Amino acid sequence: KPQLVASNDRFCRFLEEYCPVVTETYYPTIWCWEGRVQTLLRPFITSRPQVQYRNELIKTADGGQISLDWFDNNDSLYHPDTSTRPTVLLLPGLTGTSKESYILHMIHQSKTLGYRCVVFNNRGIAGEDLLTPRTYCAANTEDLEYVIHHIHSLHPSAPFMAAGVSMGGMLLLNYLGKTGRDTPLMAAAIFSAGWNVFESIASLEKPLNWLLFNYYLTTCLQSSISRHRQMLEKLCDIDLVMKARTIREFDKRFTSVMFGYRTVDDYYEEASPCRKLKSVGIPVLCLNSVDDVFSPAHAIPVETAKQNANIALVLTSCGGHIGFLEGIWPRKCTYMDRVFKQFVQAMFEHGNKIFS
């Protein structure tokens, strides 16, 4: 069974009643139970549900633009009134967009419940142009704050939640730690977040992990930079950035420079959600696997989480990073998908039992 960590008895009882998946035994797919294998195979094994998006480009105060992909769910039987239709904001991972299979599955789960979804694509990675020399990072929450208030202004009467995956989860946690209760969001779900960036980077720099994950992710980051080279070379030495062979080198030469940090360590300190967990002011459910090389078990802030009644951690022994595959042939629903569906439904339909 997963380990459920929560200091708030009311929150615990709420989850046990309305989100029982967090107390059920998770059986990983027997032929790929190891964390790194789960992480590598999930994108290739899981299906990709068809989703028809409506794209919206919104302008930011600094002259940039952000691409939002809306799934309006206008055929919703449970919530036909668009003004009060529950809305879920989805935040993909480091180089992810609305096309990621885990995002498509979350939208598929939301569709069956009658909810609306919006995917927040970080600047410059969903095919849109960069209008200013600025991209994104896990520590800077300005774009996310702008998007949240934009969505809320369009549907002020609609219940509103958010779910973040990997770096998207880190960004969401950093936002919640900064805003406390002063947010339109009623709750949030976090999946496979890296809690302490120093420990995540150290894990990813181990030889096998570097070969399997670190180098590939670095090249993905460089590819997105290369596409906007003409705009970004105003800010830093792109040729030096393209020579990076690790995420740490990339962040040292690009991310920390772009966002004005004195050193890469200063950036990593600010980007680590474990520092802000005590300040989160709304109910948050966080799912991690203890065999996730992106978020080592010893770096998961269990004791800190116990000090905030709004936080519940669900820790599985297997599952890897955004893996959580189950069943003999795990094409469709994963354990992560089931946690997402039950928690979102629980909050939208019974959340008043926590708030009362």
Side-chain angles (χ1 to χ4, degrees):
K1 286 188 176 183
Q3 179 186 357
L4 178 59
V5 179
S7 64
N8 186 336
D9 288 340
R10 178 184 287 182
F11 198 3
C12 259
R13 291 194 300 271
F14 175 86
L15 292 172
E16 289 168 357
E17 182 173 358
Y18 297 108
C19 189
V21 65
V22 302
T23 64
E24 298 171 3
T25 301
Y26 162 56
Y27 296 99
T29 298
I30 194 167
W31 51 269
C32 67
W33 56 269
E34 201 271 338
R36 282 172 293 210
V37 179
Q38 283 239 356
T39 304
L40 289 168
L41 289 184
R42 183 205 52 79
F44 302 103
I45 291 178
T46 52
S47 61
R48 304 179 67 83
Q50 290 294 314
V51 174
Q52 192 69 41
Y53 288 119
R54 171 177 62 86
N55 183 255
E56 179 188 17
L57 289 175
I58 58 174
K59 292 297 193 313
T60 58
D62 69 336
Q65 63 180 359
I66 301 170
S67 174
L68 300 180
D69 281 320
W70 290 78
F71 174 71
D72 295 300
N73 205 4
N74 288 326
D75 297 326
S76 173
L77 297 177
Y78 300 111
H79 302 280
D81 184 351
T82 59
S83 67
T84 57
R85 183 176 301 151
T87 303
V88 187
L89 173 63
L90 301 176
L91 286 71
L94 181 62
T95 58
T97 67
S98 58
K99 297 178 181 178
E100 303 301 322
S101 62
Y102 55 82
I103 294 292
L104 297 176
H105 276 274
M106 287 182 173
I107 292 175
H108 179 70
Q109 300 288 353
S110 301
K111 178 182 179 181
T112 63
L113 297 170
Y115 305 153
R116 169 174 46 222
C117 293
V118 192
V119 185
F120 168 41
N121 298 295
N122 285 302
R123 292 197 198 195
I125 64 168
E128 81 284 7
D129 292 329
L130 275 184
L131 303 183
T132 59
R134 169 175 168 165
T135 55
Y136 61 93
C137 75
N140 190 290
T141 63
E142 291 174 6
D143 282 357
L144 177 57
E145 291 175 45
Y146 185 74
V147 165
I148 287 173
H149 287 285
H150 170 74
I151 296 169
H152 182 61
S153 69
L154 295 176
H155 305 285
S157 299
F160 191 16
M161 282 184 63
V165 181
S166 191
M167 195 211 78
M170 297 165 64
L171 182 65
L172 182 54
L173 283 165
N174 286 331
Y175 159 79
L176 293 173
K178 177 181 177 182
T179 58
R181 293 183 181 179
D182 186 20
T183 173
L185 300 174
M186 61 182 293
I190 310 292
F191 302 100
S192 295
W195 289 97
N196 184 316
V197 182
F198 295 101
E199 298 298 335
S200 295
I201 290 296
S203 174
L204 288 170
E205 287 178 345
K206 294 178 180 178
L208 182 56
N209 295 338
W210 177 85
L211 185 66
L212 293 176
F213 307 110
N214 197 326
Y215 182 69
Y216 171 73
L217 279 173
T218 304
T219 59
C220 288
L221 289 165
Q222 290 168 326
S223 177
S224 65
I225 295 305
S226 180
R227 181 174 172 271
H228 304 288
R229 183 183 185 113
Q230 191 171 359
M231 176 63 72
L232 295 173
E233 61 188 0
K234 303 172 185 177
L235 190 74
C236 60
D237 185 347
I238 299 298
D239 288 332
L240 184 63
V241 173
M242 299 306 286
K243 292 176 182 177
R245 290 296 174 265
T246 65
I247 295 173
R248 186 194 298 267
E249 288 180 355
F250 178 89
D251 286 335
K252 180 179 180 180
R253 299 171 186 181
F254 181 78
T255 313
S256 58
V257 174
M258 167 164 287
F259 288 95
Y261 290 98
R262 189 173 57 86
T263 67
V264 69
D265 284 355
D266 289 342
Y267 164 53
Y268 285 169
E269 183 75 17
E270 188 69 19
S272 299
C274 60
R275 296 177 64 250
K276 305 179 182 70
L277 198 58
K278 292 181 182 179
S279 304
V280 173
I282 61 172
V284 178
L285 180 68
C286 308
L287 174 66
N288 281 89
S289 172
V290 298
D291 68 353
D292 181 354
V293 299
F294 286 76
S295 187
H298 64 269
I300 298 173
V302 173
E303 294 307 315
T304 307
K306 291 178 181 177
Q307 298 172 33
N308 187 335
N310 293 303
I311 304 297
L313 302 181
V314 179
L315 308 177
T316 60
S317 56
C318 302
H321 187 70
I322 328 176
F324 303 102
L325 301 174
E326 56 187 356
I328 297 299
W329 185 239
R331 282 281 294 161
K332 296 184 179 180
C333 194
T334 68
Y335 180 77
M336 183 178 106
D337 297 330
R338 293 197 291 132
V339 172
F340 168 81
K341 182 179 182 180
Q342 288 190 16
F343 182 66
V344 168
Q345 184 177 21
M347 294 307 306
F348 280 146
E349 299 182 13
H350 307 285
N352 61 311
K353 295 183 180 178
I354 291 182
F355 301 120
S356 61

